[in-house]
């Protein structure tokens, strides 16, 4: 990648993260829409499908009756017709916005490359499907705006040297637009979304634990906002289409119909070059030179007990289970697909053999990360605590993609940065206390902002005893602090370290007594 492009990406990512932090402060990370763009897109698609189905039931599919049936929505009791129409239009706008933001966010984070290339290449065509379906939806109203859009699209397509006859001649006279042509309009608006639905399934089928909907407060808030817009700013039609008359003024939906005015002020050739160039660039991005990819997880058959926890917890479905080669009945073995593994280490944190409550010389694991094995982390932890100048230091476990833990390093603070917070076996909290630490801070990325989707969530659930392997209940909860701190939130991390330091200093239980208490478990 060229240095200039790399600089643009870095500056853009910094600005994006700053905006995320501002929204976190306003609505909380759980309800921050920038952290749920994919699921918001699915919500918008669901609203489109539901409202569109009801609208189609009230729609007259003939040329003569289409406009009357759309205008008749204004007379549906209680304003439900206007509500449905407005919800359908504004949901389409929302879908387009989140699609564009989702693509931008994934590019800024470098997610178009490597293992995630598949998701990028299957996601880009969805943008085309949304545009085609949205433009076709305007045609069904068959008002002046529909006439303008249909004719502009036909002339744009006629610029291609592939058609035997010009499409624009279908709009030379009113008699040329018949029910057969209108059936084509209906197919474009109804059939293309079926392709979009299939594309969405293909786009996410390599992911596990996919959030189909955003968190409930966010989903209800967005739906209420769209409904309020539909009531306060109703969607209205232009005058009926009249092919013998040029519309004097049109109110465009610039999110969905920007292609037409751009073609008017330039040329079909220019807009074709722009659209095809943009699509080729998007498809080419995953194949540009990229940094060396992270090492993938490795399975040790001698220590894998087939518990399936790594299989369940992997966010990218990179782990599968097969019959164990020792041929013992019912025994399974985890297998890692290197083409799917992103090297996050969440599987290592899920492995029960990675989290033994023992004091052996070496931790033998069923699955591990070669760049930072669990046993190496254990030895570093033991050595760092033993050599600390503080009598009872604090240990901070962080994430390479979150707040920089080195920023809080000090005489009484020992930082460890992991591939992902989800790589941390919960027993390492107990190991730190057993080896002499006064307390432990665990700092995954910002809530719902994990670089690897689920690392922060799994970490929080393991520490809370809601997910296996879990932190044992006998570990003093007052000596453990969990803080979600993303990139640039080192101040938040420092505050959590300060809070834990003050709490453990005020505890009445003596350190030696705490250590004996853990050993007796």
């Amino acid at each position: 990648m060229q240095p200039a492009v790399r600089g643009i990406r870095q500056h853009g990512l910094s600005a994006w993260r700053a905006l995320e932090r501002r929204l976190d402060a306003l609505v909380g990370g759980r309800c921050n829409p920038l952290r749920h763009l994919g699921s918001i897109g699915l919500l918008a698609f669901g609203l489109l499908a539901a409202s569109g189905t009801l609208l189609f039931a009230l729609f007259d599919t003939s040329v003569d009756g289409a406009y009357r049936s759309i205008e008749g929505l204004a007379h549906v009791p209680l304003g439900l017709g206007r509500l449905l129409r407005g919800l359908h239009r504004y949901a389409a706008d929302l879908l387009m916005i989140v699609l564009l933001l989702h693509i931008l966010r994934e590019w800024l984070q470098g997610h178009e490359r490597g293992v995630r290339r598949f998701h990028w290449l299957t996601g880009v065509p969805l943008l085309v499907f949304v545009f085609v379906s949205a433009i076709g939806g305007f045609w069904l109203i068959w008002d002046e705006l529909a006439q303008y859009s249909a004719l502009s699209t036909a002339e744009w397509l006629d610029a291609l040297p592939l058609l035997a006859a010009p499409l624009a001649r279908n709009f030379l006279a009113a008699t040329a637009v018949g029910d057969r042509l209108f059936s084509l309009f209906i197919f474009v608006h109804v059939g293309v979304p079926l392709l979009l639905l299939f594309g969405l399934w293909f786009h996410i089928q390599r992911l596990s634990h996919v959030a189909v909907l955003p968190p409930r407060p966010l989903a209800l808030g967005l739906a209420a906002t769209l409904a309020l817009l539909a009531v306060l700013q109703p969607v209205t039609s232009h005058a009926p289409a009249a092919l013998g008359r040029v519309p004097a003024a049109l109110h465009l939906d610039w999110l969905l119909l920007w292609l037409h005015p751009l073609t008017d002020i330039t040329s079909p050739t220019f807009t074709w070059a722009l659209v095809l160039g943009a699509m080729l660039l998007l498809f080419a991005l995953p194949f540009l030179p990229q940094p060396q990819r992270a090492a993938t997880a490795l399975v040790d058959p001698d220590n894998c007990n087939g518990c399936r926890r790594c299989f369940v917890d992997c966010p990218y479905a990179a782990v599968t289970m097969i019959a164990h080669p020792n041929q013992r009945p019912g025994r399974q073995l985890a297998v890692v697909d290197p083409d799917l593994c992103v090297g996050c280490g969440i599987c290592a944190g899920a492995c029960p053999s990675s989290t033994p409550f023992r004091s052996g010389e070496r931790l033998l694991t069923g699955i591990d990360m070669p760049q930072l094995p669990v046993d190496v982390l254990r030895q570093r932890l033991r050595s760092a605590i033993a050599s600390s100048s503080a009598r009872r230091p604090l240990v901070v476990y962080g994430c390479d993609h979150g707040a920089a833990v080195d920023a809080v390093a000090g005489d009484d603070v020992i930082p460890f940065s992991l591939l992902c917070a989800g790589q941390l076996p919960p027993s390492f909290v107990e190991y730190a206390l057993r080896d002499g630490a006064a307390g432990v801070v665990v700092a995954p990325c910002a809530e719902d902002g994990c670089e690897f989707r689920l690392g922060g969530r799994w970490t929080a659930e393991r520490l809370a005893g809601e997910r296996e392997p879990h932190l044992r209940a006998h570990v003093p909860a007052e000596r453990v602090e969990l803080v979600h701190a993303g990139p640039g939130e080192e101040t938040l991390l420092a505050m959590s370290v300060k809070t834990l330091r003050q709490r453990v200093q005020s505890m009445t239980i003596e350190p030696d007594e705490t250590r004996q208490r853990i050993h007796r478990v």
Side-chain angles (χ1 to χ4, degrees):
M1 181 183 299
Q2 297 296 326
V5 177
R6 188 182 300 113
I8 292 173
R9 190 198 293 263
Q10 291 174 348
H11 283 90
L13 183 57
S14 298
W16 182 279
R17 286 172 172 170
L19 180 59
E20 284 184 336
R21 289 194 295 271
R22 291 191 181 95
L23 287 178
D24 284 344
L26 290 174
V27 299
R30 185 64 177 162
C31 292
N32 187 338
L34 294 183
R35 301 194 185 279
H36 302 279
L37 293 173
S39 56
I40 290 175
L42 291 174
L43 171 67
F45 182 79
L47 291 174
L48 279 167
S51 58
T53 300
L54 294 175
L55 288 171
F56 192 74
L58 302 172
F59 183 68
D60 187 332
T61 57
S62 67
V63 175
D64 296 329
Y67 184 83
R68 290 195 302 269
S69 65
I70 293 296
E71 286 299 288
L73 293 173
H75 305 293
V76 175
L78 303 178
L80 294 179
R82 289 184 180 273
L83 177 63
L84 275 176
R85 184 179 181 185
L87 190 63
H88 194 67
R89 167 72 69 82
Y90 292 128
D93 290 333
L94 176 63
L95 179 57
M96 180 56 63
I97 291 172
V98 297
L99 262 179
L100 295 174
L101 289 177
H102 185 56
I103 290 176
L104 175 62
R105 181 176 186 266
E106 295 302 296
W107 178 76
L108 289 176
Q109 294 184 323
H111 291 174
E112 83 283 3
R113 299 170 293 175
V115 174
R116 292 163 169 167
R117 177 186 298 167
F118 172 85
H119 306 291
W120 179 272
L121 294 177
T122 55
V124 169
L126 302 183
L127 191 62
V128 178
F129 292 155
V130 171
F131 264 119
V132 172
S133 179
I135 292 174
F138 285 95
W139 300 346
L140 296 185
I141 303 172
W142 204 232
D143 59 358
E144 290 180 338
L145 179 61
Q147 171 187 322
Y148 165 72
S149 177
L151 182 58
S152 180
T153 301
E155 292 174 344
W156 187 62
L157 293 174
D158 286 340
L160 294 175
L162 304 175
L163 302 176
L167 293 175
R169 71 178 186 179
N170 291 294
F171 303 97
L172 294 177
T175 55
V177 181
D179 290 345
R180 179 177 298 180
L181 181 60
F182 214 70
S183 296
L184 176 62
F185 293 171
I186 294 173
F187 171 77
V188 170
H189 188 57
V190 178
V192 173
L194 296 178
L195 296 177
L196 177 60
L197 181 62
F198 175 75
L200 283 171
W201 171 84
F202 210 66
H203 181 59
I204 65 176
Q205 62 96 17
R206 285 192 177 186
L207 300 175
S208 57
H209 307 282
V210 175
V212 178
L213 294 175
R216 182 175 297 179
L218 180 57
L220 293 177
L222 288 171
T225 300
L226 295 179
L228 188 63
L229 280 173
V231 173
L232 298 180
Q233 190 67 34
V235 176
T236 57
S237 303
H238 291 70
L243 294 178
R245 182 178 69 245
V246 177
L250 295 174
H251 304 290
L252 295 179
D253 185 323
W254 289 93
L255 277 171
L256 303 175
L257 297 178
W258 58 268
L259 185 65
H260 302 329
L262 180 61
T263 303
D264 292 341
I265 63 176
T266 57
S267 68
T269 302
F270 174 83
T271 50
W272 268 117
L274 178 66
V275 170
L276 293 179
M279 293 303 297
L280 287 175
L281 175 62
L282 290 174
F283 278 116
L285 287 176
F287 301 100
L288 297 179
Q290 55 187 304
Q292 183 177 2
R293 60 171 296 187
T296 57
L298 297 178
V299 176
D300 183 352
D302 294 333
N303 290 284
C304 177
N305 62 8
C307 69
R308 300 173 63 88
R309 290 178 187 169
C310 57
F311 166 74
V312 172
D313 281 7
C314 179
Y316 300 96
V319 181
T320 55
M321 305 301 297
I322 63 172
H324 202 286
N326 63 16
Q327 298 182 348
R328 292 176 59 180
R331 184 77 178 272
Q332 289 187 310
L333 175 70
V335 176
V336 177
D337 186 342
D339 291 331
L340 300 180
C341 179
V342 299
C344 62
I346 292 176
C347 54
C351 183
S353 60
S354 296
T355 60
F357 295 99
R358 59 177 186 247
S359 57
E361 290 298 323
R362 184 183 178 193
L363 294 183
L364 301 175
T365 67
I367 189 169
D368 213 341
M369 302 306 299
Q371 62 270 54
L372 185 58
V374 170
D375 182 63
V376 171
L377 181 61
R378 176 73 178 97
Q379 299 304 324
R380 290 179 182 175
L381 173 66
R382 178 179 295 170
S383 175
I385 294 177
S387 60
S388 174
S389 59
R391 180 169 176 265
R392 299 284 288 175
L394 300 178
V395 172
V396 179
Y397 295 113
C399 172
D400 288 345
H401 302 276
V405 294
D406 289 340
V408 297
D411 293 338
D412 67 336
V413 178
I414 303 172
F416 289 95
S417 187
L418 310 176
L419 304 175
C420 172
Q423 185 191 7
L424 180 71
S427 60
F428 272 63
V429 174
E430 185 167 344
Y431 283 151
L433 298 176
R434 178 189 300 177
D435 291 338
V440 176
V441 176
V442 181
C445 291
E447 191 173 7
D448 288 319
C450 177
E451 169 71 12
F452 302 107
R453 299 183 55 237
L454 301 172
R457 177 180 167 187
W458 290 169
T459 299
E461 291 183 3
R462 290 167 186 170
L463 295 181
E466 300 170 354
R467 191 175 196 85
E468 296 297 334
H470 65 271
L471 181 65
R472 296 200 293 181
H474 299 83
V475 176
E478 61 272 17
R479 293 189 179 275
V480 182
E481 184 81 8
L482 174 69
V483 55
H484 291 275
E489 295 184 312
E490 287 74 20
T491 301
L492 177 61
L493 177 59
M495 291 175 58
S496 298
V497 172
K498 181 179 179 180
T499 299
L500 180 62
R501 181 187 292 115
Q502 293 173 344
R503 188 165 68 237
V504 298
Q505 287 176 351
S506 64
M507 291 173 59
T508 57
I509 300 178
E510 294 297 327
D512 290 340
E513 182 182 345
T514 301
R515 187 181 304 155
Q516 292 170 6
R517 174 181 169 186
I518 296 174
H519 274 304
R520 287 198 298 268
V521 175

